[in-house]
Amino acid sequence: MDSVNEETNNKGSMWELDQKLDQPMDEEAGKLKNVFREKKFSALLLLRLAFQSLGVVYGDLGTSPLYVFYNTFPREIKDPEDVIGALSLIIYSLTLVPLLKYVFIVCRANDNGQGGTFALYSLLCRHADVNTIPNRHRTDEDLTTYSRYKFHENSFAAKTKRWLEKHSSRKNGLLLLVLVGTCMAIGDGILTPAISVLSAAGGIKVDHPNISNDVVVLVAVVILVGLFSLQHYGTDKVGWLFAPIVLLWFLTIGGVGAFNIWKYDSGVLRAFSPVYIYRYLKRGGKDRWTSLGGVMLSITGTEALFADLAHFPVLAIQIAFTVVVFPCLLLAYSGQAAFLVKNQEHAMDAFYRSIPDSIYWPVFVVATLAAIVASQATISATFSIIKQALALGCFPRVKVVHTSKKFLGQIYIPDINWILMVLCIAVTAGFRNQSQIGNAYGTAVVIVMLATTFLMILIMLLVWRWHWVLVLIFTGFSLFVELTYFSAVLFKVDQGGWVPLVIAAAFLIVMVVWHYGTVKRYEFEMHSKVSMAWILGLGPSLGLVRVPGIGLVYTELASGVPNIFSHFVTNLPAIHSVVVFVCVKYLPVYTVPEEERFLVKRIGPKNFHMFRCVARYGYKDLHKKDDEFERKLFHNLFMFVRLESMMEGCTDSDEYSSIYGQQTTQSRDCLYDDNTMSEIERTIQTGVDCIVPINSPLGHASLAARSVGQTSSQTQAEVDELEFLNRCRDAGVVHILGNTVVRARRDSRFYKKIAVDYIYAFLRKICRENSVIFHVPHESLLNVGQVFYV
């Protein structure tokens, strides 16, 4: 329990622990659950986390009162009863979607604290074989973060799993659904800053009617340029300001709303009766139905709530929403409705008109700051989405910068940042009003919600294993609300709703084409890999001159010898004394613990000096700089050689050895620390028998080995190989990377030629090279080119 105490002192670890406790568990994990419950958050800590979540999670949802009534009644209010009906729709939309669906159900479908469509997809990839890149290996399931559960063969979940895995078209359809939701979320990251900042800046014109709209747009553009220009600093340095600003914002709009209810018309509270929704829609007309697109803006930011879940426990999110966010939003909308009942001509600027004159400018300042915080939250969520897509092979390689040493999820992507800024400014300056941006915003949000609903159906069946009746009830209520709003925003496609569709289509083409090229490259490596018989036929020298040094051959294969190796040795007369095939592999998990990252095994007989090392990463992990990566790789390689005497001889089979004992029974009890490693390195340097303290894990292992008759000559052989590896490392390390060019066949259809020969080739040209991703110095880099046709 000491290790648990140490971990719970770190906020990140505690949040992850809470998320794990909220997941379904098997019987053994259930026993541990009761122990860990004693380490749950204190009430004070939980309240502090709930307070901090306001600034990260609820900024977008909280700024919706700036523009909802304007987009609901863009022309005029004909009847005060319409205001009551619209308010009733807002109240029940906030209750059904953010409160019931997301805060209490969807947020619990997180991947160890990570939210968003890709997090849901990673959960599904672990519980069913739906990953379109077939690089799954059974050793991956032994990771502590993998958390995969077995089904009863005749259960409904097992039948659903078999149905989903049966045809590749269903796997591709699932991935396409995830990509569509992801692209719409990126569109959300462009439209949220535009509408939030423009709506907040509009307060200038309310107090000074003579100012032209061009000035308001210019102020909004200046704020946006400043916002995107500061992204490279990260939110860690100014993030402590976010929660107080958003809390002040919620208390302000709640207080102003309560004042307006008292001042203008407390009769608006009748809207809590759903009868007024029926009356509102019964009065009919196309305008009534299309106004639902404006009402739907009251729940925008809900999807960002789920995407920004990363650093807070679900309970803290629920407390913040039910105690602060939900009641303050209800008061804010009710107060604006009370104002509009008496001032029907001010629907366009209801928020600022309803503010008492004595506090107008302070509220304007707080509104502008809250809009900036809301924009920051969606921009950060967009960066996280791109990082997840990049890790899963669905986005071109771009530079990812971690802006915080304390929080792994805080990242900055320069290329995406400037693209978002240009598009955001174009939308703001192009439309110049909240109405058309609101139409575009609503279209993006409702499509993301629909994608999440369909993914949640599979999560409930495969992960949670709910009864199909409960799944049907959830699906029915969700689709009823969301399809209703979707039908309303369809009427506004020509009034600005086309913008997110165009943006999403552009990103979707990029993602689909890149993923297609990635899959084809992997299939090419799989089908053209070299057989073990060919390697054995070359002999110990591999039929070539073995020059001093270590060659790190990078490949996407976790098993087999890649074609790049045969291509290399066929064209060059020499190969390094030690060859290590390195596979950097991303798994559908949020992170891979450092001690479980590397898997090492030997290829062929010992005198070949050939190894394979698989480095596994999650979609939140960052591939470290090359020198750090090399050090850890060789650390694990030396450990493998040291442990090999206690394991059965390995050839190029599917058996891997994890140094920290997650994959093999033999290594499960052999845990090595830095002191043990220093003993091994000292052994390498001196060339004598390894002597370690009797109370160290290696000492126990040595005694056990001697007890079964291990001879000194065997130990000397191990030391000799370690010394040989060390000499080769000192002689130099060369990184051998494949530069595979994909071309379409001559008889391919024209759209395939366009996708492969032009779009994919262009993306390959502008994206970062593998050598840059791996931080390989040019003097140690060797590129091997190949061309294959698809």
Side-chain angles (χ1 to χ4, degrees):
M1 293 305 296
D2 291 337
S3 61
V4 176
N5 290 330
E6 182 179 353
E7 287 181 4
T8 51
N9 288 331
N10 179 276
K11 287 193 293 184
S13 299
M14 287 190 294
W15 298 332
E16 292 169 7
L17 175 61
D18 183 69
Q19 299 299 329
K20 291 176 182 177
L21 293 175
D22 288 327
Q23 303 278 337
M25 295 187 175
D26 55 20
E27 183 178 354
E28 182 179 356
K31 296 176 182 178
L32 292 175
K33 180 176 178 179
N34 296 328
V35 178
F36 284 129
R37 284 293 181 188
E38 300 174 4
K39 302 296 177 182
K40 291 285 282 183
F41 308 105
S42 65
L44 186 61
L45 176 59
L46 198 59
L47 290 176
R48 191 183 78 183
L49 293 175
F51 167 71
Q52 291 175 346
S53 71
L54 290 173
V56 177
V57 175
Y58 293 112
D60 190 6
L61 187 64
T63 53
S64 296
L66 287 169
Y67 44 78
V68 167
F69 277 108
Y70 171 50
N71 284 274
T72 304
F73 303 107
R75 297 184 180 89
E76 61 179 355
I77 300 174
K78 299 178 180 178
D79 187 343
E81 286 294 309
D82 290 347
V83 178
I84 306 297
L87 177 60
S88 186
L89 280 166
I90 291 171
I91 291 172
Y92 283 96
S93 295
L94 285 170
T95 303
L96 292 174
V97 180
L99 180 64
L100 296 181
K101 178 185 174 182
Y102 276 87
V103 172
F104 285 102
I105 297 178
V106 175
C107 281
R108 305 193 76 84
N110 58 81
D111 183 15
N112 288 280
Q114 308 300 319
T117 51
F118 265 111
L120 297 179
Y121 183 64
S122 68
L123 280 173
L124 293 175
C125 286
R126 296 205 299 269
H127 288 80
D129 187 14
V130 295
N131 198 335
T132 52
I133 301 179
N135 61 351
R136 189 170 180 172
H137 195 276
R138 59 183 180 79
T139 55
D140 299 334
E141 300 176 13
D142 295 324
L143 286 171
T144 55
T145 54
Y146 204 85
S147 62
R148 181 170 177 261
Y149 309 104
K150 295 182 179 180
F151 308 109
H152 190 275
E153 186 175 354
N154 295 323
S155 65
F156 193 78
K159 294 177 182 177
T160 305
K161 177 176 178 292
R162 288 193 294 269
W163 176 85
L164 198 59
E165 296 173 345
K166 190 173 183 180
H167 297 291
S168 60
S169 59
R170 293 167 187 169
K171 300 178 183 180
N172 293 329
L174 178 62
L175 178 63
L176 185 63
L177 175 66
V178 173
L179 293 182
V180 168
T182 300
C183 293
M184 285 297 174
I186 294 173
D188 186 8
I190 295 169
L191 296 169
T192 296
I195 192 171
S196 299
V197 173
L198 185 61
S199 300
I204 299 174
K205 191 174 180 180
V206 172
D207 195 65
H208 295 81
N210 296 328
I211 294 178
S212 68
N213 194 52
D214 294 339
V215 175
V216 175
V217 173
L218 181 60
V219 171
V221 169
V222 170
I223 293 174
L224 290 172
V225 171
L227 175 64
F228 283 99
S229 298
L230 296 175
Q231 288 300 311
H232 67 280
Y233 291 109
T235 59
D236 191 32
K237 296 179 177 62
V238 294
W240 58 275
L241 283 173
F242 289 176
I245 289 172
V246 176
L247 178 62
L248 180 60
W249 166 252
F250 277 118
L251 295 178
T252 300
I253 61 175
V256 170
F259 173 77
N260 287 335
I261 293 172
W262 170 78
K263 179 180 178 181
Y264 293 104
D265 186 3
S266 60
V268 295
L269 298 179
R270 292 174 295 161
F272 282 88
S273 170
V275 172
Y276 289 92
I277 297 177
Y278 170 75
R279 293 180 180 176
Y280 178 77
L281 297 176
K282 184 181 178 181
R283 283 190 284 270
K286 181 181 177 182
D287 290 341
R288 290 282 190 281
W289 195 257
T290 56
S291 69
L292 293 178
V295 172
M296 202 215 66
L297 295 180
S298 63
I299 57 176
T300 55
T302 305
E303 194 64 36
L305 176 157
F306 181 46
D308 285 325
L309 191 64
H311 297 295
F312 302 98
V314 173
L315 186 56
I317 299 289
Q318 293 170 343
I319 291 174
F321 189 83
T322 53
V323 175
V324 177
V325 179
F326 188 61
C328 288
L329 286 177
L330 293 183
L331 286 172
Y333 288 117
S334 300
Q336 287 188 48
F339 172 80
L340 288 175
V341 168
K342 302 298 183 182
N343 303 273
Q344 299 173 31
E345 69 280 7
H346 289 307
M348 182 178 293
D349 43 24
F351 175 78
Y352 280 112
R353 291 286 184 183
S354 65
I355 298 173
D357 293 339
S358 58
I359 60 171
Y360 181 86
W361 286 109
V363 173
F364 171 78
V365 173
V366 175
T368 304
L369 293 175
I372 293 173
V373 172
S375 303
Q376 177 63 57
T378 55
I379 293 168
S380 300
T382 303
F383 290 157
S384 297
I385 288 170
I386 296 293
K387 173 66 169 63
Q388 293 177 17
L390 176 67
L392 296 177
C394 296
F395 202 83
R397 296 182 296 271
V398 291
K399 183 179 181 180
V400 178
V401 179
H402 280 244
T403 59
S404 174
K405 295 181 179 179
K406 294 186 293 183
F407 301 112
L408 188 63
Q410 293 187 6
I411 60 175
Y412 167 66
I413 304 178
D415 302 331
I416 300 300
N417 181 67
W418 303 124
I419 292 174
L420 292 180
M421 186 186 78
V422 170
L423 292 175
C424 191
I425 292 174
V427 169
T428 305
F431 286 138
R432 304 170 66 84
N433 67 78
Q434 305 168 29
S435 179
Q436 288 186 316
I437 299 177
N439 296 338
Y441 193 18
T443 305
V445 170
V446 73
I447 293 177
V448 177
M449 288 183 175
L450 284 170
T452 300
T453 298
F454 289 122
L455 290 173
M456 281 299 301
I457 295 173
L458 295 176
I459 292 292
M460 290 175 174
L461 291 174
L462 298 180
V463 182
W464 292 352
R465 287 169 283 180
W466 280 14
H467 195 278
W468 64 269
V469 174
L470 296 175
V471 178
L472 189 62
I473 293 172
F474 170 85
T475 306
F477 275 105
S478 297
L479 291 182
F480 173 75
V481 175
E482 290 159 10
L483 289 177
T484 300
Y485 282 132
F486 181 67
S487 65
V489 300
L490 286 179
F491 288 103
K492 298 186 176 184
V493 170
D494 60 337
Q495 303 172 31
W498 57 270
V499 173
L501 300 179
V502 172
I503 294 173
F507 277 97
L508 184 62
I509 290 172
V510 170
M511 289 185 172
V512 169
V513 170
W514 185 263
H515 184 71
Y516 176 79
T518 302
V519 171
K520 289 302 179 182
R521 284 174 54 219
Y522 183 83
E523 290 177 351
F524 169 76
E525 287 211 31
M526 282 291 294
H527 295 152
S528 61
K529 63 183 180 181
V530 181
S531 66
M532 195 61 208
W534 184 82
I535 295 293
L536 293 173
L538 294 176
S541 67
L542 301 182
L544 302 165
V545 177
R546 302 297 292 268
V547 297
I550 296 180
L552 300 181
V553 182
Y554 288 84
T555 174
E556 296 184 8
L557 297 180
S559 62
V561 178
N563 180 263
I564 181 181
F565 181 71
S566 65
H567 190 69
F568 178 79
V569 300
T570 302
N571 291 278
L572 290 176
I575 192 65
H576 298 89
S577 300
V578 177
V579 178
V580 182
F581 297 103
V582 181
C583 173
V584 178
K585 178 181 176 182
Y586 283 91
L587 303 178
V589 295
Y590 77 105
T591 187
V592 175
E594 193 71 37
E595 64 272 13
E596 301 176 41
R597 177 150 296 156
F598 290 91
L599 296 177
V600 182
K601 70 177 179 180
R602 187 185 295 275
I603 297 178
K606 279 190 175 183
N607 54 358
F608 279 35
H609 300 298
M610 296 176 65
F611 303 89
R612 172 173 291 107
C613 178
V614 179
R616 303 177 294 180
Y617 292 86
Y619 54 79
K620 282 289 183 181
D621 291 328
L622 175 68
H623 184 77
K624 302 297 183 182
K625 288 187 177 181
D626 185 64
D627 51 357
E628 183 73 8
F629 179 77
E630 269 191 34
R631 186 188 67 80
K632 293 179 179 178
L633 187 150
F634 289 126
H635 174 95
N636 284 269
L637 181 60
F638 291 150
M639 286 294 184
F640 170 79
V641 173
R642 192 67 187 145
L643 286 168
E644 199 173 24
S645 62
M646 292 176 284
M647 301 166 60
E648 295 181 0
C650 295
T651 59
D652 189 28
S653 65
D654 287 337
E655 294 299 325
Y656 284 93
S657 172
S658 172
I659 297 306
Y660 287 82
Q662 295 299 322
Q663 276 70 42
T664 60
T665 306
Q666 291 90 338
S667 61
R668 189 165 296 150
D669 297 324
C670 301
L671 306 177
Y672 293 86
D673 53 19
D674 291 335
N675 294 329
T676 307
M677 186 59 193
S678 64
E679 293 289 345
I680 293 178
E681 291 178 345
R682 194 179 305 120
T683 302
I684 296 170
Q685 295 170 2
T686 59
V688 298
D689 290 348
C690 180
I691 303 175
V692 294
I694 200 72
N695 57 355
S696 73
L698 186 57
H700 290 302
S702 300
L703 286 176
R706 292 189 185 98
S707 67
V708 295
Q710 182 185 37
T711 65
S712 60
S713 61
Q714 290 174 319
T715 306
Q716 185 63 43
E718 295 168 21
V719 174
D720 288 344
E721 184 171 18
L722 290 171
E723 185 178 3
F724 174 75
L725 291 174
N726 198 56
R727 287 200 309 268
C728 290
R729 182 176 62 173
D730 293 339
V733 178
V734 176
H735 301 257
I736 304 171
L737 274 71
N739 187 16
T740 306
V741 178
V742 184
R743 299 288 186 200
R745 293 190 181 95
R746 289 185 178 181
D747 58 347
S748 301
R749 296 182 182 274
F750 76 95
Y751 57 83
K752 186 175 182 180
K753 290 182 178 179
I754 293 174
V756 175
D757 291 344
Y758 294 97
I759 299 177
Y760 184 73
F762 174 74
L763 294 174
R764 285 266 298 178
K765 186 176 181 180
I766 65 173
C767 77
R768 305 182 86 207
E769 296 290 340
N770 273 326
S771 58
V772 179
I773 297 292
F774 296 138
H775 305 275
V776 178
H778 288 290
E779 60 272 13
S780 303
L781 174 64
L782 182 61
N783 264 317
V784 180
Q786 292 184 106
V787 179
F788 77 96
Y789 294 88
V790 296

